Amino acid sequence: MQKIKILPEHVANKIAAGEVVNRPESVVKELLENSIDAKASSIDVYIKGAGKVLIQVSDDGEGMSEEDALLCIQRHATSKISTAEDLTSIKTFGFRGEALSAIASVSVFELKTERKTDEIGTLIRIDEFGKIFSEKGSFSKGTTVAVKNLFYNTPARRNFLKSNSTELKHIIETFKRIALSHPHISFKLYNDDELLFDFPATTLDDRMKSVFAENILDLAFEVKELTEYISLFGYIGKPTYLRKSRGEQYFYLNNRYVVSKVINHAVFTSFENIMEKGDYPFFVLFMEIDPKKIDVNVHPSKLEVKFEDEKEIYTFVQAVVKKGIGSYDLVPSISLDDETKNSNSAQLRFIDFRKTEKYDLSDRPNFSKDKNHSAFFSDEDIDRLFGNLNNEIKYTLPNSNVLHPFDEKEQKEIYHTSSIESQKGVESPFIVLLHNKYILTQIKSGLMIIDAHVAHERILYEKALKSFNANLPFSQQLLFAQTLKADPADIELIKELNPYLVKLGFEIKISSKNTITILGVPSDVLVGTEIETLLEILKEYRKNQQEKNLEITDNIAKSFSCKAAIKAGHKLNETEMRILVDQLFATSMPYVCPHGRPIVVKIPIEEFDKRFGRT
């Protein structure tokens, strides 16, 4: 009996569709590219149910005849190439003839088209059973493609789709990428009958302002190098606009958005002496090159690309970016001479991590009377540490006399937390803040340096996890509620995370489809940063979800601690620093932050002795 059989066409189409269409965003991308190839000057995108219910793309392009409309939904049918030689000089965005066929095989598909020279157009409709219907009618000039109930006949693939907020976010990102590279075309995006984005035809500079922010050009510098063989132009973010994720790198090859590790690495290495580990530069770069020197036919998604000479491309991009950086005063000052690197003198080094028991405080700053101190502090201490108190407010005893502002005070260290220890003859270690970033304090073996931001991050992370387990939310009510218009994808994400946000201390009311009101926040959120902190938490949550696939409570705790922690540049007084250090060493793991970054560095006294020639 014959075992090997040729699959029926409708089954083969469903299998092949997985290469081209794996989520609603893929459909939007393919339909937008077809509209651009059709020389459209205006494109409207309609989304319902994050693309799962409806995706409709309408353009005012060339349109098609009835014969072409019936052929375009057939597999490997295209008007953009005809011979194998055409693959070496591809200038259109769609060329494989797979998109419409793949989309039609996993959805209820409808196409309306009418050429500008025709008086009547064509309607092509494919029902749930794959039957094709063709009708004549009067339609708008151009083409409209409606994709309904995506993956209705492939439930396994539909089950693997993410939440509405995640799918909508991908659609918005793809829409912005394509709109950014075609500023001469006007784009509109509607979500559930609500206009989200309206980008009129304009210049690249104005389109960047519409897509990103009005001041985006102030945060970036221009790079431009035009040659006969290869040209590169665009914008790169200044070091002050470095990002913590890879999501804002836009590279267009012959106006096609592609992902290239070669280009990304070339740009990153150009910033090697400016960026810290974990930082990524923002850039929007356009490269023009002979199509014969590249291959975009690597994958059906057309996001990958191969260069004929990768080394030459890498060197060119790196040189152009370095030239752009060198044109601006962006390089930070350094304090060490280059000669030090090659000298044989002793240098400071990191101490290897060693295992430390939970209550081993032999080599830690001792600010408390009891070494096994509690992690709990008074309300007054907490207010001093994280509150936004007016520095000029002083507390006095009820019967004390109020001193004149210019009188000499008898007790200048009224807030010195170590006064009790000093009275008993216990010497308290010094503690200072370096550049409003690092806490320096004496320990038994030498000097301890603590990163204030990541230390606070560790404290807030464990506090957040405890709040989830305790299920006793405490919200600090705002005197004046904060209202903001948010991205629809952010609204969906807030709805999903609201039970966890409530446990953290947020009290949020969704007023409309794109408006939320913040009524209360956790006590750790600084006054005046409520909106910014919430949006940053959502952004960090998505980043962790995509890159690390964390469990939801761990993800929210890490996102909250990262964005609510004190930032570099936040000035702490002596009392606040001492409380911060005490709280840090009351945590379960005071040596690394929730993301794995080191919190504490120790420099032994022997290293100082070597540097000063005391050995």
Side-chain angles (χ1 to χ4, degrees):
M1 181 178 177
Q2 183 179 349
K3 293 183 178 180
I4 299 176
K5 302 176 183 178
I6 298 176
L7 289 173
E9 185 176 354
H10 70 280
V11 176
N13 283 345
K14 289 180 182 179
I15 295 172
E19 297 180 347
V20 183
V21 182
N22 55 11
R23 65 193 327 160
E25 171 266 336
S26 307
V27 177
V28 174
K29 173 182 177 293
E30 296 293 344
L31 296 183
L32 282 174
E33 290 181 345
N34 282 344
S35 294
I36 294 170
D37 286 339
K39 300 180 176 59
S41 60
S42 177
I43 303 175
D44 296 342
V45 182
Y46 300 84
I47 302 296
K48 286 188 178 181
K52 302 173 186 176
V53 177
L54 172 68
I55 298 172
Q56 180 175 302
V57 176
S58 302
D59 65 60
D60 61 352
E62 297 174 335
M64 293 180 284
S65 65
E66 182 179 8
E67 293 79 8
D68 286 340
L70 287 169
L71 278 174
C72 76
I73 56 176
Q74 301 299 318
R75 196 175 179 193
H76 301 310
T78 180
S79 63
K80 298 157 190 177
I81 61 172
S82 56
T83 64
E85 288 72 23
D86 292 338
L87 290 172
T88 62
S89 58
I90 296 171
K91 296 182 179 179
T92 56
F93 296 99
F95 59 88
R96 297 169 63 101
E98 295 174 304
L100 291 182
S101 173
I103 294 169
S105 66
V106 291
S107 68
V108 178
F109 184 86
E110 185 177 277
L111 182 148
K112 298 176 183 177
T113 184
E114 185 173 321
R115 294 181 296 187
K116 295 178 181 178
T117 56
D118 293 339
E119 295 183 358
I120 195 167
T122 303
L123 167 64
I124 303 295
R125 183 165 52 87
I126 304 177
D127 64 10
E128 294 90 339
F129 306 103
K131 190 174 182 180
I132 300 174
F133 299 89
S134 175
E135 303 174 13
K136 286 290 187 178
S138 181
F139 309 111
S140 300
K141 302 298 182 181
T143 302
T144 297
V145 177
V147 178
K148 304 175 184 177
N149 298 331
L150 186 64
F151 299 137
Y152 77 96
N153 54 358
T154 51
R157 192 172 302 157
R158 190 178 181 93
N159 291 337
F160 275 95
L161 293 179
K162 303 299 182 183
S163 63
N164 282 0
S165 64
T166 300
E167 296 299 340
L168 181 59
K169 194 72 175 178
H170 283 291
I171 290 174
I172 290 174
E173 288 173 356
T174 295
F175 176 82
K176 286 183 175 180
R177 286 171 186 165
I178 294 178
L180 188 61
S181 61
H182 297 84
H184 61 284
I185 300 176
S186 66
F187 290 86
K188 290 182 181 179
L189 175 62
Y190 295 83
N191 179 52
D192 294 332
D193 300 323
E194 183 179 359
L195 179 62
L196 297 186
F197 300 103
D198 185 359
F199 300 148
T202 182
T203 62
L204 175 60
D205 288 1
D206 289 337
R207 181 58 58 85
M208 285 188 62
K209 293 177 182 178
S210 299
V211 171
F212 300 112
E214 279 294 326
N215 65 336
I216 187 64
L217 298 183
D218 297 330
L219 301 172
F221 58 88
E222 186 178 11
V223 294
K224 190 174 184 180
E225 191 70 33
L226 308 179
T227 68
E228 293 183 359
Y229 170 68
I230 182 174
S231 297
L232 185 71
F233 60 93
Y235 291 91
I236 296 181
K238 298 176 182 178
T240 53
Y241 191 56
L242 292 176
R243 319 305 290 164
K244 291 296 182 183
S245 66
R246 299 175 182 267
E248 295 193 356
Q249 288 80 41
Y250 300 84
F251 176 63
Y252 298 90
L253 185 61
N254 293 341
N255 237 25
R256 180 199 304 277
Y257 175 82
V258 297
V259 178
S260 172
K261 293 181 179 179
V262 174
I263 302 300
N264 283 5
H265 194 268
V267 176
F268 294 169
T269 53
S270 302
F271 278 84
E272 60 184 351
N273 295 321
I274 302 174
M275 293 191 305
E276 295 181 0
K277 185 178 180 180
D279 288 337
Y280 301 95
F282 161 86
F283 63 78
V284 178
L285 293 176
F286 295 84
M287 179 180 286
E288 299 291 339
I289 191 172
D290 185 349
K292 295 181 180 179
K293 303 292 184 181
I294 59 175
D295 182 11
V296 296
N297 189 28
V298 179
H299 191 272
S301 66
K302 303 185 290 292
L303 286 176
E304 299 178 29
V305 63
K306 287 189 178 294
F307 295 97
E308 185 178 70
D309 190 340
E310 288 191 349
K311 185 176 180 180
E312 186 178 54
I313 297 295
Y314 183 95
T315 304
F316 177 80
V317 172
Q318 189 179 54
V320 173
V321 175
K322 283 189 174 181
K323 178 183 176 182
I325 295 174
S327 302
Y328 296 83
D329 186 16
L330 302 175
V331 181
S333 301
I334 57 176
S335 57
L336 295 176
D337 296 331
D338 291 337
E339 297 176 356
T340 308
K341 297 179 181 178
N342 300 321
S343 67
N344 295 322
S345 60
Q347 299 198 15
L348 299 183
R349 65 184 187 278
F350 286 106
I351 305 301
D352 292 336
F353 287 105
R354 65 182 178 87
K355 184 178 180 181
T356 304
E357 298 301 329
K358 184 173 183 180
Y359 293 110
D360 177 11
L361 306 181
S362 60
D363 204 20
R364 298 180 184 176
N366 182 18
F367 301 136
S368 304
K369 292 183 294 181
D370 181 12
K371 289 187 177 182
N372 294 342
H373 55 277
S374 170
F376 297 96
F377 294 84
S378 67
D379 292 340
E380 183 180 4
D381 287 338
I382 299 300
D383 287 340
R384 287 177 184 169
L385 178 54
F386 303 119
N388 192 23
L389 298 178
N390 188 326
N391 292 329
E392 295 185 8
I393 296 177
K394 305 295 182 183
Y395 291 99
T396 59
L397 296 174
N399 298 326
S400 64
N401 295 324
V402 179
L403 297 174
H404 191 277
F406 299 104
D407 287 345
E408 185 71 13
K409 297 180 177 62
E410 294 181 1
Q411 294 182 340
K412 293 184 178 180
E413 295 183 346
I414 189 170
Y415 292 139
H416 200 291
T417 56
S418 61
S419 58
I420 296 176
E421 291 92 334
S422 298
Q423 291 174 7
K424 294 186 177 183
V426 179
E427 183 180 358
S428 178
F430 79 92
I431 186 167
V432 296
L433 187 64
L434 179 65
H435 293 299
N436 293 335
K437 284 185 179 181
Y438 303 104
I439 298 174
L440 277 61
T441 184
Q442 177 182 328
I443 55 175
K444 183 178 179 181
S445 63
L447 177 70
M448 176 178 283
I449 305 173
I450 300 171
D451 187 326
H453 166 72
V454 291
H456 194 198
E457 195 174 331
R458 164 57 64 178
I459 295 167
L460 293 183
Y461 172 72
E462 295 200 5
K463 182 179 178 181
L465 292 180
K466 289 179 181 177
S467 69
F468 291 144
N469 296 330
N471 200 22
L472 293 172
F474 176 79
S475 178
Q476 181 174 291
Q477 295 297 302
L478 299 180
L479 186 60
F480 300 100
Q482 300 289 322
T483 303
L484 75 150
K485 288 189 175 181
D487 189 301
D490 287 338
I491 299 287
E492 290 292 330
L493 185 57
I494 289 173
K495 290 179 181 178
E496 293 177 17
L497 302 182
N498 192 54
Y500 302 94
L501 294 174
V502 168
K503 290 182 180 180
L504 282 177
F506 283 97
E507 187 175 342
I508 302 170
K509 179 182 178 183
I510 300 177
S511 306
S512 64
K513 288 184 178 180
N514 63 343
T515 305
I516 65 172
T517 303
I518 303 176
L519 303 175
V521 294
S523 58
D524 302 293
V525 176
L526 290 177
V527 176
T529 65
E530 296 86 357
I531 294 176
E532 178 185 358
T533 301
L534 177 61
L535 294 178
E536 287 293 325
I537 289 172
L538 297 179
K539 185 176 181 180
E540 182 73 7
Y541 179 88
R542 284 199 181 90
K543 174 188 169 185
N544 292 337
Q545 188 181 41
Q546 293 173 4
E547 298 180 359
K548 303 175 183 178
N549 195 26
L550 301 175
E551 190 267 334
I552 186 167
T553 54
D554 187 44
N555 191 348
I556 295 178
K558 287 181 177 178
S559 302
F560 169 74
S561 63
C562 179
K563 300 307 176 183
I566 54 176
K567 302 298 187 292
H570 183 93
K571 190 173 183 180
L572 301 171
N573 61 36
E574 181 178 341
T575 302
E576 292 168 342
M577 287 188 286
R578 291 178 185 272
I579 296 174
L580 181 64
V581 174
D582 276 343
Q583 286 195 328
L584 171 64
F585 285 104
T587 62
S588 61
M589 178 50 68
Y591 302 109
V592 292
C593 81
H595 299 92
R597 289 173 54 193
I599 299 175
V600 178
V601 174
K602 297 178 183 179
I603 303 178
I605 192 67
E606 291 81 10
E607 292 293 337
F608 290 100
D609 291 341
K610 290 178 184 178
R611 298 292 292 182
F612 288 97
R614 297 178 65 91
T615 56

